[in-house]
Amino acid sequence: MALKGLDIFKLTPKTNCKECGNPTCMAFAMKAAQGSVPIEKCPHLSADALATLSEATAPPMKSIKLGEGHTLGGETVLYRHDKTFVSRSLFAVSVCAKCFDEKMPEIEKIDYERIGEREYVELLNCVYDGDKDAYAELVKKAAATGRTLVLECSDVDAARAALEICAAGKPLLNGANEDNYAEMSKLAAEFGVVLGVTAADLDKLHDTVEALEKLGNKNLVLDVGTASVKDAFASAVQIRRAALKDKDRAFGYPSIVNVGKLAPGDADMQTALASLFILKYGSIIVMENMSYAQALALYGLRQNIFTDPQKPMKVEPGIYPLNGADENSICVTTVDFALTYFVVSGELERSGVPMNLLISDAGGYSVLTAWAAGKLSAGSIEKFFKQFDIENKIKNRNLVIPGKVAVLKGEIEERLPGWNIIVAPNEAAGLVKFFKELKV
């Protein structure tokens, strides 16, 4: 149970605190209880008091580091609109000794940037099929791709051989169960890797996690199982609710769900299930295969869900050539709000007309909101032109502005002498016809 400020105060020495300046440290205690300052900041706590307080004030779900730069867990809310989700779901594709060479070319095709984030298959789920030598060879080839690995293996000897190959990449050893957890925990601790835990049901999973914690292992990921879609979904939700609502530390870990096993051979159902578990608590989502089309849909949803709802998604300001545009192509400008960018750029690409799309910094607002807030104005467009040296980079002197801010036409002409300012239609749906018929 989390301690209150008074509880922390009782464990804090009555001395002048360098952190808050209060001789009683009450101010610091209240800040620590609210989570606004780490308890470790207090220089006067004894080791025993620090251990007690650190445990009591820790977030309900642990943050787990995986591979090079991946973070799982650390969640504090059940619903995105309450605050924000913290660590986005990671995707894995299952590979085996027989299918690795066949699957990798398709996996490698999925690698693109969207709104400043790299989108790719972060993990490879290496499935053990009983052949230790073949598994070691599979892990060796998978590790050579540079991606973080999930070792789906409950055989201790095979897991050890695999870890000797890939431990430096900090994989997830997803192989602990109620029968082998002690051996697997020892192995995970020896190689310094995260341990995945599974069980026949939630009660047994809870007992297994408690047993692992008694062994000193709290670097865990919980497998929600593959008995059925219903059971996997129920487990994912109950694990998260138990951790966040009931403060059950045994369930305060990230989860892994294998939708490939929940809907084998059915790509459409796997995509649907992956969408479900992006929303409902799959920290790692394992798929049987991943096509580029699936990735576009799933990564777009993931990026939307794991973005702070209080901060709009923005694209980077700059010059975006479309349809093979060059310095002689017409210019079009709009705001940096991600939704506006994708809608407008999609229509502009459909027109087939070469053009330079100029994205200015409008604070992540839509066109009318940015205009009303003073973020989109003749002055802001002039500033953008100077910042990106548009006059010298682009020879064409035609600039198309959004139809909803047609009122800016005269002011922009004054700020940008020599430029022909053209007003576009109010709605993006009219852009294709507009540009195909435009004569400049």
Side-chain angles (χ1 to χ4, degrees), residues 62 70 89 118 190 218 222 224 246 372 381 415 437:
K62 284 180 66 68
H70 298 308
S89 303
R118 183 188 176 197
E190 178 183 343
K218 295 185 178 182
L222 310 185
V224 302
D246 301 333
I381 292 175
R415 299 265 191 165
E437 296 176 353

Side-chain angles (χ1 to χ4, degrees), residues 186-248:
K186 183 177 179 181
L187 191 61
E190 178 183 343
F191 286 93
V193 300
V194 181
L195 182 63
V197 190
T198 189
D201 55 49
L202 281 181
D203 289 336
K204 292 179 180 178
L205 180 62
H206 193 276
D207 292 342
T208 304
V209 172
E210 287 188 324
L212 283 163
E213 290 181 333
K214 288 179 181 178
L215 294 175
N217 193 340
K218 295 185 178 182
N219 197 24
L220 308 173
V221 170
L222 310 185
D223 194 318
V224 302
T226 56
S228 69
V229 172
K230 178 182 177 181
D231 289 344
F233 178 72
S235 294
V237 172
Q238 289 177 45
I239 287 171
R240 180 66 61 91
R241 289 188 65 86
L244 300 189
K245 292 293 185 182
D246 301 333
K247 309 301 180 185
D248 187 340

Side-chain angles (χ1 to χ4, degrees), residues 165-352:
I165 296 170
C166 68
K170 299 299 179 184
L172 165 64
L173 174 57
N174 189 26
N177 54 48
E178 49 201 295
D179 297 321
N180 69 359
Y181 69 86
E183 294 172 290
M184 279 292 182
S185 179
K186 183 177 179 181
L187 191 61
E190 178 183 343
F191 286 93
V193 300
V194 181
L195 182 63
V197 190
T198 189
D201 55 49
L202 281 181
D203 289 336
K204 292 179 180 178
L205 180 62
H206 193 276
D207 292 342
T208 304
V209 172
E210 287 188 324
L212 283 163
E213 290 181 333
K214 288 179 181 178
L215 294 175
N217 193 340
K218 295 185 178 182
N219 197 24
L220 308 173
V221 170
L222 310 185
D223 194 318
V224 302
T226 56
S228 69
V229 172
K230 178 182 177 181
D231 289 344
F233 178 72
S235 294
V237 172
Q238 289 177 45
I239 287 171
R240 180 66 61 91
R241 289 188 65 86
L244 300 189
K245 292 293 185 182
D246 301 333
K247 309 301 180 185
D248 187 340
R249 297 285 184 181
F251 276 161
Y253 297 97
S255 61
I256 180 171
V257 53
N258 194 322
V259 300
K261 290 184 177 180
L262 291 173
D266 191 336
D268 292 339
M269 179 57 76
Q270 287 184 38
T271 303
L273 290 175
S275 301
L276 172 67
F277 284 106
I278 288 173
L279 296 169
K280 291 299 180 183
Y281 318 141
S283 300
I284 297 176
I285 300 172
V286 183
M287 303 192 67
E288 192 174 28
N289 293 289
M290 175 82 83
S291 68
Y292 198 86
Q294 286 174 299
L296 289 176
L298 292 173
Y299 292 166
L301 173 63
R302 178 179 71 175
Q303 194 168 45
N304 185 29
I305 295 301
F306 287 90
T307 300
D308 189 338
Q310 303 301 319
K311 298 178 182 178
M313 288 192 294
K314 303 192 297 182
V315 296
E316 195 70 23
I319 305 170
Y320 293 79
L322 303 178
N323 303 325
D326 57 23
E327 61 183 5
N328 297 307
S329 302
I330 192 172
C331 296
V332 183
T333 189
T334 191
V335 294
D336 58 348
F337 180 42
L339 180 59
T340 298
Y341 168 79
F342 284 116
V343 171
V344 170
S345 63
E347 295 300 314
L348 297 180
E349 288 175 344
R350 282 207 311 126
S351 74

